[in-house]
Amino acid sequence: MSREGLNRRSFLTGGAAAIGGAALALGGRAVWDEEPVPMPAPDAVGQATEEFRGIRQAGVSTRPQAFASFVALDLRSDVDHDALVRLMRIWTDDIERLSQGRAPLADTEPELGAVPARLTVTVGYGPAVFRAAGLERLAPAWLRPLPAFTVDRLEDRWNDGDVVLQVCADDETTVAHAVRLLVKDARTFVTVRWLQRGFRSTPGSTPPGTTMRNLMGQVDGTRNPDLGVEPELVWQPDGASDALAGSTSLVVRRIAMNLDTWDELDRDGREKAVGRRLDTGAPLTGRKEHDVPDLDAVDANGLTVIAPFAHVRRARDDEHPEQRFLRRGYNYDEAPAPGELSSSGLIFATYQADVDTQFVPIQRRLDELDLLNEWTTPIGSAVFFVPGGARAGEYLGQRLLES
Amino acid sequence: MSREGLNRRSFLTGGAAAIGGAALALGGRAVWDEEPVPMPAPDAVGQATEEFRGIRQAGVSTRPQAFASFVALDLRSDVDHDALVRLMRIWTDDIERLSQGRAPLADTEPELGAVPARLTVTVGYGPAVFRAAGLERLAPAWLRPLPAFTVDRLEDRWNDGDVVLQVCADDETTVAHAVRLLVKDARTFVTVRWLQRGFRSTPGSTPPGTTMRNLMGQVDGTRNPDLGVEPELVWQPDGASDALAGSTSLVVRRIAMNLDTWDELDRDGREKAVGRRLDTGAPLTGRKEHDVPDLDAVDANGLTVIAPFAHVRRARDDEHPEQRFLRRGYNYDEAPAPGELSSSGLIFATYQADVDTQFVPIQRRLDELDLLNEWTTPIGSAVFFVPGGARAGEYLGQRLLES
């Protein structure tokens, strides 16, 4: 019976499951008025939670929730080390409660706080936090704006920031409420610089484990590392210094898609531009999404099947396997500008242990030659240090701020 | 066994359900490698569909999907009756296919069209459609901008429109893709005037049948009519003229919420302003959400429990039971303006048979005296005629356009 129970439980999407009448399946009396089988609770999506406490922050290796808001904030001029500690204490308490479905103390809409929906809030720091805290000596060398790329058309309204909140949940009302509460509780410390809202598929919309599609129709994010096998691609080791243990970095690039010109390209041209099939996401040299692209394969004419300019070739350098990172992107779709049909794109959010050695070389290669550049334009860019998580009794950022 | 099967099916949220090993529950052999119980398909939310064909359009009495985009379009100057017919033929084919999860003919991202997620697209007409079609004689008298209310602070960027598309689905990628395709296919006929994106709770976030909450934390939309009992509140009769049969009207009001000043109000003050409890949504004179408010009940001091200025009292006129309509609203939450903490509100979308006799009198009363006016401001307003649906072989709007 336990194995059966496990099988059933593994099918349930949420944490809560009403187990009823399991004995029936073993040949017990049929009591028709009882629900004879375990079913997901009707609010399983809303009541599921993610763990907040730990040496690493949640929201990085967490299976991506359906919705995300990225909020960049600027520190007010009088914020110093002590003020940062106060802010982090407030946010730690808020985030812990919200993520567990318990309304924070200052929550004026506690009913909106009762649907955690796997909420995670991930806090990141720009260079200004290290300056304000008097900890410039601890700021990683890569914590600065990315080098300029020729494809960039950056707009200042989507760039940089002193602090970032990545707020993710499987319910958009939950995200809106958490953002409002966290910004409100920080109003004496920070002002809002920019806010980007994104989405993926709804839970239950596609089978679990399906890689998301972006609004160009591509399977997006296939080649994510397995952090169980290669945690060092994202995380500073648990045994690193207090300032670094469990930390990582977040790059947020806002990538506009020119769907009007993309529409002019036929299906074959689109697949050649990426090097993958549109239907399955498989490389043009393979059959399944996760097949490894064969960059040397040639067709009957002796040309490489995956073209020199294809995105998968340019994004990949098998001689430098460290040049990989965790992608955790979200689609955006806003009201079109006057005369336009749409305003769509991708919030390209990536996590990596070191921006300079992992992220920048790939972007340089893509900047030099990547056919996708024809239809995509980076219009925003920001880099943040993501401090380690709060273990029991700690506040977020404590090990760094007390270093 | 059939009854058991029915019970199980009624639990499933989507249309598709994998029925396996039902015999087990009746005492059959335990085949452990088979999934012994019927479970919702893992993509049940994405594969569920709503019927497109019928004398009434879908998206009105349809149980509200989680996401909506309202797109107002303006006709290009050369659009005449014939052009409108062509546009409606194109859209009818597109909408029927999208709503059934079959990619339209001109769909350049067919994979995004394969997740219907209960998609509905509801088409409405402003006065300009009747003019362009030479059918002004058939335009309802109420088809014009609402009278000016003193609480209004309308911004032209959210007002009016010649045509509206209400695009709803349980997956936001589905909505984005449908909007893009429908606008693209209409580009020679129309330009985008405004687009408003809204959300409710994700499927599975709250138990089925739960009334949505707005971003002020209130249960919002309790008093919706039962269209099975009172269809005439929304629909023109099936036996009406061809131009009217199965038609209705859509009012879209964009209501900004001033959450900063709302935050200054305590819980008791908030409940008095609305006349309902924040936790359950019950009227202050009742225990449950759907209890009828007792407007005459007095407290120990002889004062009415539901105050003279309370929203539920002002919105209600029991002497004029025809002054009701169907609310089908969505929350919005946008990036805040510089210096602001948030930009949130409600896309207040209502359906009614007659705008002048059902919608306007209520708004007049609320305009005169409604405490909620302190924290809510209408910033956009539009009124549309929603033609009857397309029966088999018809295109949307056909019975009107050929009248």
Side-chain angles (χ1 to χ4, degrees), chain B residues 334-357:
Chain B
E334 305 293 345
E340 300 290 326
L341 296 182
S342 58
S343 171
S344 307
L346 186 72
I347 305 169
F348 185 68
T350 74
Y351 285 94
Q352 51 281 306
D354 186 310
V355 177
D356 283 352
T357 60

Side-chain angles (χ1 to χ4, degrees), chain B residues 251-315:
Chain B
V251 175
V252 183
R253 304 266 290 174
R254 189 169 177 90
I255 314 278
M257 294 173 169
N258 190 336
L259 296 183
D260 290 346
T261 56
W262 179 246
D263 276 347
E264 295 163 4
L265 197 64
D266 66 12
R267 216 167 153 83
D268 185 57
R270 291 177 174 204
E271 294 187 334
K272 285 207 168 73
V274 183
R276 290 189 180 275
R277 289 183 212 287
L278 285 165
D279 54 358
T280 59
L284 294 181
T285 56
R287 285 189 316 110
K288 293 192 208 145
E289 180 190 347
H290 292 281
D291 287 349
V292 176
D294 179 354
L295 300 178
D296 300 321
V298 291
D299 64 17
N301 299 316
L303 300 171
T304 54
V305 176
I306 294 176
F309 48 70
H311 180 74
V312 293
R313 180 186 293 276
R314 299 301 298 171

Side-chain angles (χ1 to χ4, degrees), chain A residues 75-88:
Chain A
L75 295 178
R76 293 184 187 274
S77 56
D78 60 345
V79 170
D80 58 10
H81 182 276
D82 286 357
L84 282 168
V85 171
R86 287 201 303 280
L87 173 60
M88 290 302 133

Side-chain angles (χ1 to χ4, degrees), chain A residues 196-217:
Chain A
Q196 303 187 43
R197 295 174 60 230
F199 58 88
R200 295 169 162 245
S201 280
T202 304
S205 189
T206 53
T210 303
T211 308
M212 72 171 273
R213 284 187 187 271
N214 63 36
L215 294 177
M216 295 166 92

